[in-house]
Amino acid sequence: NAGVTQTPKFQVLKTGQSMTLQCAQDMNHNSMYWYRQDPGMGLRLIYYSASEGTTDKGEVPNGYNVSRLNKREFSLRLESAAPSQTSVYFCASLRYWRDPSYNEQFFGPGTRLTVL
Amino acid sequence: QKEVEQDPGPLSVPEGAIVSLNCTYSNSAFQYFMWYRQYSRKGPELLMYTYSSGNKEDGRFTAQVDKSSKYISLFIRDSQPSDSATYLCAMRSGGSQGNLIFGKGTKLSVKP
């Protein structure tokens, strides 16, 4: 069980370049999330997918697009990178316990992105 | 005012100290309260989970929720250098799909 995996671990882009961050989970979870973490800002939700085939905006969606490719994979795309998108990006998936009100997000190791 | 406020620290304590970490929040709809621990250059991992008001204890860790004051706390007894990490509070409203709102995180350093 690898849990939540993310690629790449590090990336440097120039302003205007595009790239896709990949995320996969092997825990058969329905819901997946993309966050960004910036110093002094905490974790902020970019997009989430409650189930395969659905995606919704979070707190900071501008400049990003997502694709829920299948149940395992949820990718985040930057079409035209900007320095303001320099951040650490985390993917997470959600496990429900027997009681649906108790659930837990599992996070990947993160992707450190620098936009010059 | 942010929905969740957390003092970012950093907080430095000697080994064996009792550590108190806190968050305040403004949304009275929050019912589920969590503490995540994040080691340097790693993803957050769930540490404690409480529902509504009250205390929950797990080993050296105690989570407290006071909904009347909109205030949650995490206490660490007999702190160890391995507790050095950033601690993030998180909370959500009811329902199984409520998204988490995170605090900024408090960076804790426990010195041997």
Side-chain angles (χ1 to χ4, degrees), chain A residues 5-48:
Chain A
T5 56
Q6 292 184 237
T7 55
K9 286 187 167 50
F10 302 93
Q11 185 71 47
V12 178
L13 293 177
K14 294 181 180 177
T15 297
Q17 287 185 317
S18 62
M19 80 161 295
T20 300
L21 282 64
Q22 306 287 354
C23 173
Q25 52 92 9
D26 61 1
M27 296 175 283
N28 201 35
H29 293 165
N30 286 320
S31 299
M32 298 183 72
Y33 304 80
W34 275 106
Y35 293 90
R36 60 178 289 173
Q37 187 174 39
D38 303 291
M41 299 295 291
L43 278 164
R44 292 182 293 169
L45 183 63
I46 305 171
Y47 270 94
Y48 66 99

Side-chain angles (χ1 to χ4, degrees), chain B residues 75-87:
Chain B
F75 297 96
I76 307 173
R77 290 184 299 281
D78 187 24
S79 56
Q80 302 295 309
S82 58
D83 295 327
S84 297
T86 296
Y87 290 81

